[in-house]
Amino acid sequence: MQILSRDRIVQAVQLDQHAMAAVEAGFAALGRGDVTQPPIMSLDIAEANGEVDIKTAYIKGQAHFAIKISSGFFDNPALGLSSLNGLMIVMSAKTGVVEAVLLDEGYLTDIRTALAGGIAARCLSNEDSHRVTLIGAGLQAELQLAALLLVRSIDKVAVWARDTDKARIFTERLAKKYSLDVVVHEDIKTACQNADIIVTTTPAREPLLTAEDLPEGVHVTAMGSDSPYKRELNTSVLERANRVVVDTRSQSELNGELKAFKGQGLSFDVPELGKILTGQEYGRVRRDEITVCDLTGTGVQDTAIAAYALHALSTSEA
Amino acid sequence: MQILSRDRIVQAVQLDQHAMAAVEAGFAALGRGDVTQPPIMSLDIAEANGEVDIKTAYIKGQAHFAIKISSGFFDNPALGLSSLNGLMIVMSAKTGVVEAVLLDEGYLTDIRTALAGGIAARCLSNEDSHRVTLIGAGLQAELQLAALLLVRSIDKVAVWARDTDKARIFTERLAKKYSLDVVVHEDIKTACQNADIIVTTTPAREPLLTAEDLPEGVHVTAMGSDSPYKRELNTSVLERANRVVVDTRSQSELNGELKAFKGQGLSFDVPELGKILTGQEYGRVRRDEITVCDLTGTGVQDTAIAAYALHALSTSEA
């Protein structure tokens, strides 16, 4: 059994086309019905303002599957610790023997989450999309941008975040690091007005984005909402969209943006991303359509990135 | 972060009164409502005849909680591997930081499962119980006996197992190891006829024990059934019993013996073991009553034994 540190994993796994192909293959397997993916297990520890989520999935025919444990303890920064933490256990799908413990401290989750955003944009945004608006100024906002750079020729970035000072620092850093035209905005509507792609990456509990903020032809990826308490999109965004796509329907209804429609019938179809990847459902059909993809984070992404990491690590050792 | 091998864990944690007290405290906390225990997460891998269960629980006020991953891959013996496997991840309940990975390969599960049987018998069997019948001749049958020896002055053991040859070898070994009068039987009814305590420890899919097999005053612990497909007790056993107790009601209904009554109203109360430990519910009230305890295995036992193991390991190092 291998026990692998974050440093070794970071060396072997990058936010690149290879990792994207692995995560995309996972979504496609989900679309084909070749994945067993139980509901997320959640443990709340209210006294410590903490929560733990456990995700897993088995992809038919794959030699390994992962069990991903991720924690968020939101009083940690006051103790000088990161709020987010996590590890993955990789088991043989033939024997159940533990093959590896990936002590990635959430790194692989960050990567596979960003890659899903890239995959969604490649599937749903117009091919010549070059202007991105980031709602949120955290690590995942940057990684979403990095993933978009893998699939579209981005040259302009607009940023809005609740904390404008944080947004400014983030903007300056991004402009330098990626040699891009990055501008900070003080309201969401202005930030979005020329966007080809909008990515929401916040832990908001009240919707931030409304239908009025959406320019014609835009694609929106909402990746922040991942619990019954979080929401980023006003229902008008989903009602206005020509196409709403989710990573996993049941998770979106429980933890994602579809929960806003709980108890109501939906007036629109909601295909899963994997079914678009496999051609069973269509995505965008016209330039001027508005598309939305709600990502809640799935066990199949974890199994896909963990299996890829094991492979990449074995290659990097050779 | 500590990574602890099975050998070190076996050195530090034994099937004894100390470990029993830890597991009992976990059940009592559950009884008081001081435990958050999400439903079990299960992943089936049918192609490999395998399954993985994930259990967790947070006990209010405890510094640590565990996430236990256990696998059963039933084609493993043909590959020279054990069917059962597992590990526990111990996290800080204050920060979510991983404190330890216990590579116990299922040892702590075996121990906490046996201890629950001991606790159930201490709560529910007559105090002068000395004759035990074991249904099943596997590792857990032996451990259940060992746990009973901690709480009752056992001197006679009767054994029945589907495979009579296996039962004979088991019986001989038990007699020698524990210096007890151990007799093998070829039918369940004869094996049970003088029992004060019966423990069923099989992976049976059809009920083995019926009401006719039960002598007056007996206590029955059924610990084999832990999935929607397994059952050890005929419904007549539960209907005949004066008191039916479970470790966790929702789990017994899904994976344990209560699932036989699914869709029917129960004609009897079913308190949880923890509520008897805390005096909120009564257990046995007369010598001649028949009591039953259905154990499905709970996350709170895992967290209790893992926290105990960490403590015992730190003491044994000092």
Short mmCIF file of all heavy atoms in Angstrom, two decimals, chain A residues 1 3 36 38-39 41-43 45 47-48 52 54 56 58 60 65 67 69 71 73 76 79 81 85 87 89 93-97 103, chain B residues 1 3 36 38-39 41-43 45 47-48 52 54 56 58 60 65 67 69 71 73 76 79 81 85 89 93-97 103:
data_model
loop_
_atom_site.label_atom_id
_atom_site.label_comp_id
_atom_site.label_asym_id
_atom_site.label_seq_id
_atom_site.Cartn_x
_atom_site.Cartn_y
_atom_site.Cartn_z
N MET A 1 0.83 -1.20 0.00
CA MET A 1 0.00 0.00 0.00
C MET A 1 0.87 1.26 0.00
O MET A 1 1.82 1.35 0.76
CB MET A 1 -0.88 0.01 1.25
CG MET A 1 -2.02 0.99 1.15
SD MET A 1 -2.67 1.43 2.78
CE MET A 1 -1.24 2.22 3.50
N ILE A 3 1.40 5.32 0.58
CA ILE A 3 0.87 6.51 1.24
C ILE A 3 1.57 7.70 0.60
O ILE A 3 2.80 7.80 0.63
CB ILE A 3 1.12 6.45 2.75
CG1 ILE A 3 0.32 5.26 3.32
CG2 ILE A 3 0.69 7.75 3.43
CD1 ILE A 3 0.53 4.99 4.77
N THR A 36 -21.56 3.27 -10.57
CA THR A 36 -22.34 3.15 -9.35
C THR A 36 -21.88 4.28 -8.43
O THR A 36 -20.70 4.36 -8.10
CB THR A 36 -22.09 1.80 -8.65
OG1 THR A 36 -22.25 0.77 -9.61
CG2 THR A 36 -23.08 1.59 -7.51
N PRO A 38 -23.16 6.13 -5.01
CA PRO A 38 -24.14 6.31 -3.92
C PRO A 38 -24.32 7.78 -3.54
O PRO A 38 -23.46 8.61 -3.86
CB PRO A 38 -23.54 5.53 -2.75
CG PRO A 38 -22.20 5.07 -3.16
CD PRO A 38 -21.92 5.50 -4.56
N PRO A 39 -25.42 8.11 -2.89
CA PRO A 39 -25.59 9.49 -2.41
C PRO A 39 -24.43 9.89 -1.49
O PRO A 39 -23.82 9.04 -0.83
CB PRO A 39 -26.90 9.43 -1.61
CG PRO A 39 -27.61 8.22 -2.10
CD PRO A 39 -26.55 7.25 -2.52
N MET A 41 -22.37 11.07 1.64
CA MET A 41 -22.54 10.94 3.09
C MET A 41 -22.06 12.24 3.72
O MET A 41 -20.97 12.71 3.41
CB MET A 41 -21.68 9.78 3.57
CG MET A 41 -21.79 9.47 5.05
SD MET A 41 -20.76 8.01 5.43
CE MET A 41 -21.71 7.28 6.76
N SER A 42 -22.88 12.82 4.60
CA SER A 42 -22.50 14.09 5.24
C SER A 42 -22.60 13.99 6.74
O SER A 42 -23.55 13.42 7.26
CB SER A 42 -23.45 15.21 4.80
OG SER A 42 -23.17 15.58 3.48
N LEU A 43 -21.61 14.52 7.41
CA LEU A 43 -21.61 14.58 8.88
C LEU A 43 -21.42 16.04 9.27
O LEU A 43 -20.42 16.65 8.89
CB LEU A 43 -20.47 13.72 9.44
CG LEU A 43 -20.31 13.71 10.95
CD1 LEU A 43 -21.48 12.98 11.62
CD2 LEU A 43 -18.99 13.04 11.36
N ILE A 45 -20.82 18.85 12.21
CA ILE A 45 -20.37 19.04 13.60
C ILE A 45 -20.58 20.51 13.91
O ILE A 45 -19.68 21.35 13.76
CB ILE A 45 -18.91 18.59 13.77
CG1 ILE A 45 -18.80 17.10 13.37
CG2 ILE A 45 -18.44 18.82 15.20
CD1 ILE A 45 -17.48 16.46 13.64
N GLU A 47 -21.01 22.32 16.59
CA GLU A 47 -20.23 23.00 17.64
C GLU A 47 -18.94 23.59 17.10
O GLU A 47 -18.42 24.57 17.63
CB GLU A 47 -19.83 22.04 18.78
CG GLU A 47 -20.98 21.49 19.56
CD GLU A 47 -21.31 20.09 19.08
OE1 GLU A 47 -21.77 19.98 17.91
OE2 GLU A 47 -21.13 19.15 19.84
N ALA A 48 -18.36 22.92 16.08
CA ALA A 48 -17.07 23.38 15.56
C ALA A 48 -17.24 24.06 14.21
O ALA A 48 -16.25 24.31 13.53
CB ALA A 48 -16.12 22.19 15.44
N VAL A 52 -18.25 17.29 7.21
CA VAL A 52 -17.44 16.33 6.47
C VAL A 52 -18.33 15.70 5.41
O VAL A 52 -19.45 15.30 5.70
CB VAL A 52 -16.88 15.22 7.40
CG1 VAL A 52 -16.03 14.24 6.62
CG2 VAL A 52 -16.07 15.84 8.53
N ILE A 54 -18.42 12.72 2.33
CA ILE A 54 -17.75 11.54 1.79
C ILE A 54 -18.41 11.18 0.47
O ILE A 54 -19.64 11.09 0.38
CB ILE A 54 -17.83 10.37 2.79
CG1 ILE A 54 -17.23 10.82 4.13
CG2 ILE A 54 -17.09 9.15 2.25
CD1 ILE A 54 -17.46 9.88 5.27
N THR A 56 -18.03 8.71 -3.19
CA THR A 56 -17.37 7.58 -3.84
C THR A 56 -18.13 7.23 -5.10
O THR A 56 -19.28 7.66 -5.30
CB THR A 56 -17.27 6.36 -2.90
OG1 THR A 56 -16.45 5.35 -3.51
CG2 THR A 56 -18.63 5.74 -2.60
N TYR A 58 -17.94 3.89 -8.33
CA TYR A 58 -17.22 2.84 -9.05
C TYR A 58 -17.54 2.98 -10.53
O TYR A 58 -18.70 3.04 -10.92
CB TYR A 58 -17.65 1.46 -8.54
CG TYR A 58 -17.23 0.33 -9.45
CD1 TYR A 58 -15.89 0.10 -9.73
CD2 TYR A 58 -18.18 -0.48 -10.06
CE1 TYR A 58 -15.50 -0.92 -10.58
CE2 TYR A 58 -17.80 -1.50 -10.92
CZ TYR A 58 -16.45 -1.71 -11.19
OH TYR A 58 -16.08 -2.71 -12.05
N LYS A 60 -17.42 1.19 -13.95
CA LYS A 60 -17.36 -0.19 -14.48
C LYS A 60 -16.09 -0.42 -15.28
O LYS A 60 -15.78 0.38 -16.18
CB LYS A 60 -18.58 -0.42 -15.37
CG LYS A 60 -19.19 -1.78 -15.22
CD LYS A 60 -20.50 -1.84 -15.98
CE LYS A 60 -21.07 -3.23 -15.98
NZ LYS A 60 -22.43 -3.23 -16.55
N PHE A 65 -11.12 2.28 -7.42
CA PHE A 65 -12.11 3.32 -7.13
C PHE A 65 -11.65 4.05 -5.88
O PHE A 65 -10.84 3.53 -5.11
CB PHE A 65 -13.52 2.74 -6.95
CG PHE A 65 -13.67 1.86 -5.76
CD1 PHE A 65 -14.16 2.36 -4.56
CD2 PHE A 65 -13.30 0.53 -5.82
CE1 PHE A 65 -14.28 1.56 -3.45
CE2 PHE A 65 -13.42 -0.30 -4.71
CZ PHE A 65 -13.91 0.21 -3.52
N ILE A 67 -12.51 6.56 -2.41
CA ILE A 67 -13.43 7.11 -1.41
C ILE A 67 -12.80 8.42 -0.97
O ILE A 67 -11.66 8.45 -0.51
CB ILE A 67 -13.60 6.14 -0.23
CG1 ILE A 67 -14.23 4.83 -0.73
CG2 ILE A 67 -14.44 6.78 0.88
CD1 ILE A 67 -14.12 3.69 0.24
N ILE A 69 -12.78 11.80 1.28
CA ILE A 69 -13.25 12.42 2.52
C ILE A 69 -12.81 13.87 2.48
O ILE A 69 -11.62 14.14 2.36
CB ILE A 69 -12.63 11.70 3.73
CG1 ILE A 69 -13.04 10.22 3.73
CG2 ILE A 69 -13.02 12.40 5.04
CD1 ILE A 69 -12.30 9.37 4.76
N SER A 71 -13.27 17.72 4.40
CA SER A 71 -13.82 18.42 5.55
C SER A 71 -13.73 19.91 5.35
O SER A 71 -12.82 20.42 4.69
CB SER A 71 -13.09 18.01 6.84
OG SER A 71 -11.74 18.42 6.76
N PHE A 73 -13.99 23.05 8.07
CA PHE A 73 -14.17 23.52 9.45
C PHE A 73 -13.87 25.02 9.43
O PHE A 73 -12.71 25.43 9.34
CB PHE A 73 -13.25 22.75 10.41
CG PHE A 73 -13.82 21.41 10.80
CD1 PHE A 73 -13.97 20.40 9.86
CD2 PHE A 73 -14.25 21.18 12.12
CE1 PHE A 73 -14.51 19.17 10.21
CE2 PHE A 73 -14.80 19.95 12.47
CZ PHE A 73 -14.93 18.94 11.52
N ASN A 76 -11.40 27.30 11.47
CA ASN A 76 -9.97 26.98 11.40
C ASN A 76 -9.06 28.18 11.14
O ASN A 76 -7.99 28.25 11.75
CB ASN A 76 -9.71 25.92 10.32
CG ASN A 76 -9.97 24.50 10.83
OD1 ASN A 76 -10.44 24.33 11.95
ND2 ASN A 76 -9.67 23.51 10.01
N LEU A 79 -7.44 29.65 13.93
CA LEU A 79 -6.42 28.81 14.56
C LEU A 79 -5.17 28.70 13.67
O LEU A 79 -4.25 27.94 13.96
CB LEU A 79 -6.97 27.40 14.81
CG LEU A 79 -8.27 27.28 15.62
CD1 LEU A 79 -8.84 25.88 15.52
CD2 LEU A 79 -8.00 27.66 17.07
N LEU A 81 -5.23 27.54 10.62
CA LEU A 81 -5.33 26.33 9.79
C LEU A 81 -6.24 26.58 8.60
O LEU A 81 -7.13 27.43 8.66
CB LEU A 81 -5.92 25.18 10.62
CG LEU A 81 -5.12 24.67 11.81
CD1 LEU A 81 -5.96 23.70 12.63
CD2 LEU A 81 -3.85 23.98 11.32
N ASN A 85 -9.91 20.50 4.04
CA ASN A 85 -8.96 19.43 4.24
C ASN A 85 -9.49 18.19 3.56
O ASN A 85 -10.66 18.15 3.21
CB ASN A 85 -8.79 19.18 5.74
CG ASN A 85 -7.32 19.12 6.11
OD1 ASN A 85 -6.59 18.32 5.55
ND2 ASN A 85 -6.91 20.00 7.00
N LEU A 87 -8.65 13.81 2.13
CA LEU A 87 -7.79 12.75 1.61
C LEU A 87 -8.64 11.79 0.80
O LEU A 87 -9.87 11.84 0.85
CB LEU A 87 -7.07 12.02 2.76
CG LEU A 87 -7.83 10.97 3.55
CD1 LEU A 87 -6.87 10.17 4.41
CD2 LEU A 87 -8.89 11.62 4.43
N ILE A 89 -8.95 7.59 -0.31
CA ILE A 89 -8.53 6.20 -0.15
C ILE A 89 -8.79 5.53 -1.50
O ILE A 89 -9.91 5.59 -2.00
CB ILE A 89 -9.38 5.49 0.93
CG1 ILE A 89 -9.45 6.31 2.22
CG2 ILE A 89 -8.91 4.08 1.17
CD1 ILE A 89 -8.16 6.44 2.95
N ALA A 93 -10.76 -2.39 -7.21
CA ALA A 93 -12.16 -2.72 -7.49
C ALA A 93 -12.35 -4.22 -7.65
O ALA A 93 -13.47 -4.69 -7.78
CB ALA A 93 -12.61 -2.00 -8.76
N LYS A 94 -11.26 -4.97 -7.61
CA LYS A 94 -11.36 -6.43 -7.74
C LYS A 94 -11.34 -7.11 -6.38
O LYS A 94 -11.98 -8.14 -6.19
CB LYS A 94 -10.20 -6.93 -8.61
CG LYS A 94 -10.50 -8.29 -9.20
CD LYS A 94 -9.40 -8.80 -10.10
CE LYS A 94 -9.67 -10.26 -10.44
NZ LYS A 94 -8.51 -10.89 -11.08
N THR A 95 -10.57 -6.52 -5.43
CA THR A 95 -10.37 -7.21 -4.14
C THR A 95 -10.75 -6.36 -2.93
O THR A 95 -10.78 -6.87 -1.81
CB THR A 95 -8.89 -7.61 -3.97
OG1 THR A 95 -8.10 -6.41 -3.91
CG2 THR A 95 -8.42 -8.49 -5.12
N GLY A 96 -10.98 -5.07 -3.12
CA GLY A 96 -11.26 -4.21 -1.98
C GLY A 96 -10.04 -3.87 -1.14
O GLY A 96 -10.14 -3.20 -0.12
N VAL A 97 -8.87 -4.34 -1.57
CA VAL A 97 -7.63 -4.04 -0.84
C VAL A 97 -7.29 -2.56 -1.04
O VAL A 97 -7.45 -2.03 -2.14
CB VAL A 97 -6.49 -4.95 -1.34
CG1 VAL A 97 -5.14 -4.49 -0.81
CG2 VAL A 97 -6.77 -6.40 -0.94
N LEU A 103 -2.84 11.62 0.52
CA LEU A 103 -2.96 12.69 1.52
C LEU A 103 -2.87 14.04 0.80
O LEU A 103 -1.93 14.81 1.00
CB LEU A 103 -1.87 12.54 2.57
CG LEU A 103 -1.93 11.21 3.35
CD1 LEU A 103 -0.67 11.02 4.19
CD2 LEU A 103 -3.17 11.15 4.22
N MET B 1 0.34 13.63 11.65
CA MET B 1 -0.60 12.54 11.41
C MET B 1 0.08 11.19 11.60
O MET B 1 1.18 10.97 11.11
CB MET B 1 -1.12 12.63 9.97
CG MET B 1 -2.37 11.85 9.76
SD MET B 1 -2.61 11.42 8.02
CE MET B 1 -1.19 10.40 7.72
N ILE B 3 0.21 7.07 11.09
CA ILE B 3 -0.29 5.95 10.31
C ILE B 3 0.06 4.69 11.08
O ILE B 3 1.24 4.44 11.36
CB ILE B 3 0.32 5.95 8.90
CG1 ILE B 3 -0.16 7.22 8.18
CG2 ILE B 3 -0.09 4.70 8.14
CD1 ILE B 3 0.44 7.44 6.84
N THR B 36 -24.31 12.33 16.39
CA THR B 36 -24.75 12.52 15.00
C THR B 36 -24.23 11.32 14.22
O THR B 36 -23.02 11.10 14.17
CB THR B 36 -24.16 13.81 14.41
OG1 THR B 36 -24.41 14.88 15.32
CG2 THR B 36 -24.80 14.14 13.07
N PRO B 38 -24.84 9.60 10.56
CA PRO B 38 -25.55 9.54 9.27
C PRO B 38 -25.82 8.10 8.84
O PRO B 38 -25.16 7.18 9.34
CB PRO B 38 -24.58 10.22 8.30
CG PRO B 38 -23.33 10.51 9.03
CD PRO B 38 -23.45 10.06 10.44
N PRO B 39 -26.75 7.90 7.93
CA PRO B 39 -26.98 6.55 7.40
C PRO B 39 -25.71 5.99 6.78
O PRO B 39 -24.86 6.74 6.29
CB PRO B 39 -28.05 6.76 6.32
CG PRO B 39 -28.70 8.07 6.63
CD PRO B 39 -27.65 8.90 7.31
N MET B 41 -23.14 4.48 4.22
CA MET B 41 -22.93 4.60 2.78
C MET B 41 -22.48 3.24 2.26
O MET B 41 -21.58 2.64 2.83
CB MET B 41 -21.82 5.63 2.54
CG MET B 41 -21.54 5.95 1.09
SD MET B 41 -20.26 7.25 1.00
CE MET B 41 -20.75 8.10 -0.49
N SER B 42 -23.12 2.77 1.20
CA SER B 42 -22.77 1.46 0.66
C SER B 42 -22.48 1.55 -0.83
O SER B 42 -23.20 2.22 -1.56
CB SER B 42 -23.93 0.47 0.85
OG SER B 42 -24.02 0.08 2.19
N LEU B 43 -21.44 0.87 -1.24
CA LEU B 43 -21.10 0.79 -2.66
C LEU B 43 -21.00 -0.68 -3.03
O LEU B 43 -20.21 -1.41 -2.43
CB LEU B 43 -19.76 1.49 -2.91
CG LEU B 43 -19.23 1.47 -4.35
CD1 LEU B 43 -20.09 2.32 -5.27
CD2 LEU B 43 -17.78 1.96 -4.40
N ILE B 45 -20.07 -3.58 -5.79
CA ILE B 45 -19.34 -3.85 -7.03
C ILE B 45 -19.66 -5.29 -7.42
O ILE B 45 -18.95 -6.23 -7.05
CB ILE B 45 -17.83 -3.59 -6.84
CG1 ILE B 45 -17.63 -2.13 -6.40
CG2 ILE B 45 -17.06 -3.90 -8.12
CD1 ILE B 45 -16.21 -1.67 -6.31
N GLU B 47 -19.66 -7.05 -10.14
CA GLU B 47 -18.76 -7.86 -10.98
C GLU B 47 -17.71 -8.59 -10.15
O GLU B 47 -17.22 -9.64 -10.57
CB GLU B 47 -17.98 -6.98 -11.97
CG GLU B 47 -18.81 -6.28 -13.00
CD GLU B 47 -19.08 -4.86 -12.58
OE1 GLU B 47 -19.77 -4.68 -11.56
OE2 GLU B 47 -18.62 -3.94 -13.27
N ALA B 48 -17.33 -8.01 -9.02
CA ALA B 48 -16.27 -8.62 -8.21
C ALA B 48 -16.86 -9.25 -6.95
O ALA B 48 -16.11 -9.62 -6.04
CB ALA B 48 -15.23 -7.57 -7.83
N VAL B 52 -18.63 -2.30 -0.28
CA VAL B 52 -17.91 -1.44 0.66
C VAL B 52 -18.94 -0.69 1.48
O VAL B 52 -19.89 -0.15 0.93
CB VAL B 52 -17.00 -0.44 -0.10
CG1 VAL B 52 -16.24 0.45 0.88
CG2 VAL B 52 -16.03 -1.17 -1.00
N ILE B 54 -19.39 2.33 4.49
CA ILE B 54 -18.71 3.43 5.19
C ILE B 54 -19.62 3.89 6.32
O ILE B 54 -20.81 4.14 6.12
CB ILE B 54 -18.40 4.57 4.22
CG1 ILE B 54 -17.56 4.01 3.06
CG2 ILE B 54 -17.67 5.70 4.92
CD1 ILE B 54 -17.39 4.96 1.90
N THR B 56 -19.83 6.34 10.01
CA THR B 56 -19.20 7.38 10.81
C THR B 56 -20.19 7.86 11.86
O THR B 56 -21.39 7.59 11.77
CB THR B 56 -18.71 8.56 9.94
OG1 THR B 56 -17.95 9.47 10.75
CG2 THR B 56 -19.88 9.33 9.34
N TYR B 58 -20.36 11.20 15.10
CA TYR B 58 -19.71 12.16 15.97
C TYR B 58 -20.39 12.09 17.34
O TYR B 58 -21.61 12.19 17.43
CB TYR B 58 -19.82 13.58 15.39
CG TYR B 58 -19.49 14.65 16.38
CD1 TYR B 58 -18.22 14.72 16.97
CD2 TYR B 58 -20.45 15.59 16.78
CE1 TYR B 58 -17.93 15.69 17.91
CE2 TYR B 58 -20.15 16.57 17.71
CZ TYR B 58 -18.89 16.62 18.28
OH TYR B 58 -18.60 17.57 19.22
N LYS B 60 -20.87 13.91 20.69
CA LYS B 60 -20.75 15.27 21.22
C LYS B 60 -19.70 15.35 22.33
O LYS B 60 -19.72 14.55 23.27
CB LYS B 60 -22.10 15.69 21.81
CG LYS B 60 -22.50 17.10 21.48
CD LYS B 60 -23.92 17.37 21.95
CE LYS B 60 -24.30 18.81 21.78
NZ LYS B 60 -25.74 19.01 22.00
N PHE B 65 -13.39 11.87 15.88
CA PHE B 65 -14.39 10.97 15.34
C PHE B 65 -13.73 10.16 14.23
O PHE B 65 -12.69 10.55 13.69
CB PHE B 65 -15.63 11.71 14.82
CG PHE B 65 -15.35 12.59 13.64
CD1 PHE B 65 -15.57 12.14 12.35
CD2 PHE B 65 -14.87 13.87 13.83
CE1 PHE B 65 -15.31 12.96 11.26
CE2 PHE B 65 -14.60 14.70 12.74
CZ PHE B 65 -14.82 14.24 11.46
N ILE B 67 -14.04 7.72 10.62
CA ILE B 67 -14.76 7.28 9.42
C ILE B 67 -14.22 5.89 9.12
O ILE B 67 -13.01 5.72 8.94
CB ILE B 67 -14.50 8.25 8.24
CG1 ILE B 67 -15.05 9.63 8.59
CG2 ILE B 67 -15.13 7.71 6.96
CD1 ILE B 67 -14.56 10.74 7.70
N ILE B 69 -14.09 2.51 6.89
CA ILE B 69 -14.33 1.94 5.56
C ILE B 69 -14.10 0.45 5.68
O ILE B 69 -13.02 0.02 6.09
CB ILE B 69 -13.34 2.55 4.54
CG1 ILE B 69 -13.55 4.06 4.45
CG2 ILE B 69 -13.49 1.88 3.18
CD1 ILE B 69 -12.48 4.80 3.67
N SER B 71 -14.58 -3.34 3.65
CA SER B 71 -14.93 -3.98 2.38
C SER B 71 -15.08 -5.48 2.57
O SER B 71 -14.43 -6.08 3.42
CB SER B 71 -13.84 -3.69 1.33
OG SER B 71 -12.62 -4.26 1.72
N PHE B 73 -15.09 -8.59 -0.17
CA PHE B 73 -14.98 -9.05 -1.57
C PHE B 73 -14.90 -10.57 -1.50
O PHE B 73 -13.87 -11.13 -1.13
CB PHE B 73 -13.77 -8.43 -2.26
CG PHE B 73 -14.04 -7.03 -2.76
CD1 PHE B 73 -14.26 -5.99 -1.87
CD2 PHE B 73 -14.12 -6.75 -4.13
CE1 PHE B 73 -14.54 -4.71 -2.31
CE2 PHE B 73 -14.40 -5.47 -4.58
CZ PHE B 73 -14.61 -4.45 -3.68
N ASN B 76 -12.33 -13.19 -2.91
CA ASN B 76 -10.93 -13.06 -2.50
C ASN B 76 -10.27 -14.37 -2.06
O ASN B 76 -9.11 -14.60 -2.38
CB ASN B 76 -10.78 -12.03 -1.37
CG ASN B 76 -10.74 -10.60 -1.91
OD1 ASN B 76 -10.90 -10.38 -3.10
ND2 ASN B 76 -10.52 -9.65 -1.02
N LEU B 79 -8.23 -16.09 -4.37
CA LEU B 79 -6.97 -15.40 -4.72
C LEU B 79 -5.98 -15.44 -3.55
O LEU B 79 -4.93 -14.81 -3.59
CB LEU B 79 -7.26 -13.93 -5.07
CG LEU B 79 -8.30 -13.66 -6.16
CD1 LEU B 79 -8.69 -12.20 -6.22
CD2 LEU B 79 -7.74 -14.12 -7.52
N LEU B 81 -6.61 -14.22 -0.59
CA LEU B 81 -6.76 -13.01 0.20
C LEU B 81 -7.96 -13.13 1.13
O LEU B 81 -8.91 -13.85 0.84
CB LEU B 81 -6.99 -11.81 -0.73
CG LEU B 81 -5.86 -11.42 -1.68
CD1 LEU B 81 -6.36 -10.39 -2.69
CD2 LEU B 81 -4.68 -10.87 -0.88
N ASN B 85 -11.80 -6.54 4.76
CA ASN B 85 -10.70 -5.62 4.83
C ASN B 85 -11.21 -4.30 5.37
O ASN B 85 -12.42 -4.10 5.43
CB ASN B 85 -10.14 -5.42 3.41
CG ASN B 85 -8.65 -5.54 3.40
OD1 ASN B 85 -7.97 -4.83 4.13
ND2 ASN B 85 -8.15 -6.46 2.60
N ILE B 89 -10.25 6.21 9.42
CA ILE B 89 -9.63 7.53 9.38
C ILE B 89 -10.11 8.26 10.64
O ILE B 89 -11.32 8.37 10.85
CB ILE B 89 -10.09 8.32 8.14
CG1 ILE B 89 -9.94 7.49 6.87
CG2 ILE B 89 -9.39 9.66 8.05
CD1 ILE B 89 -8.54 7.17 6.48
N ALA B 93 -12.35 16.47 15.84
CA ALA B 93 -13.73 16.98 15.78
C ALA B 93 -13.76 18.50 15.91
O ALA B 93 -14.80 19.12 15.77
CB ALA B 93 -14.57 16.34 16.88
N LYS B 94 -12.59 19.09 16.14
CA LYS B 94 -12.53 20.54 16.26
C LYS B 94 -12.08 21.20 14.96
O LYS B 94 -12.50 22.31 14.64
CB LYS B 94 -11.55 20.92 17.39
CG LYS B 94 -11.83 22.29 17.95
CD LYS B 94 -10.91 22.66 19.08
CE LYS B 94 -11.04 24.15 19.36
NZ LYS B 94 -9.96 24.64 20.23
N THR B 95 -11.20 20.50 14.22
CA THR B 95 -10.61 21.13 13.03
C THR B 95 -10.79 20.31 11.74
O THR B 95 -10.49 20.82 10.66
CB THR B 95 -9.09 21.32 13.23
OG1 THR B 95 -8.48 20.02 13.35
CG2 THR B 95 -8.79 22.14 14.47
N GLY B 96 -11.22 19.06 11.85
CA GLY B 96 -11.34 18.23 10.66
C GLY B 96 -10.00 17.72 10.15
O GLY B 96 -9.94 17.06 9.11
N VAL B 97 -8.92 18.04 10.85
CA VAL B 97 -7.60 17.57 10.43
C VAL B 97 -7.50 16.06 10.69
O VAL B 97 -7.98 15.56 11.70
CB VAL B 97 -6.49 18.33 11.20
CG1 VAL B 97 -5.13 17.69 11.00
CG2 VAL B 97 -6.48 19.80 10.77
N LEU B 103 -4.71 1.40 10.04
CA LEU B 103 -4.73 0.33 9.02
C LEU B 103 -4.99 -1.00 9.72
O LEU B 103 -4.14 -1.90 9.73
CB LEU B 103 -3.40 0.33 8.28
CG LEU B 103 -3.08 1.63 7.52
CD1 LEU B 103 -1.65 1.63 7.01
CD2 LEU B 103 -4.06 1.85 6.39
#
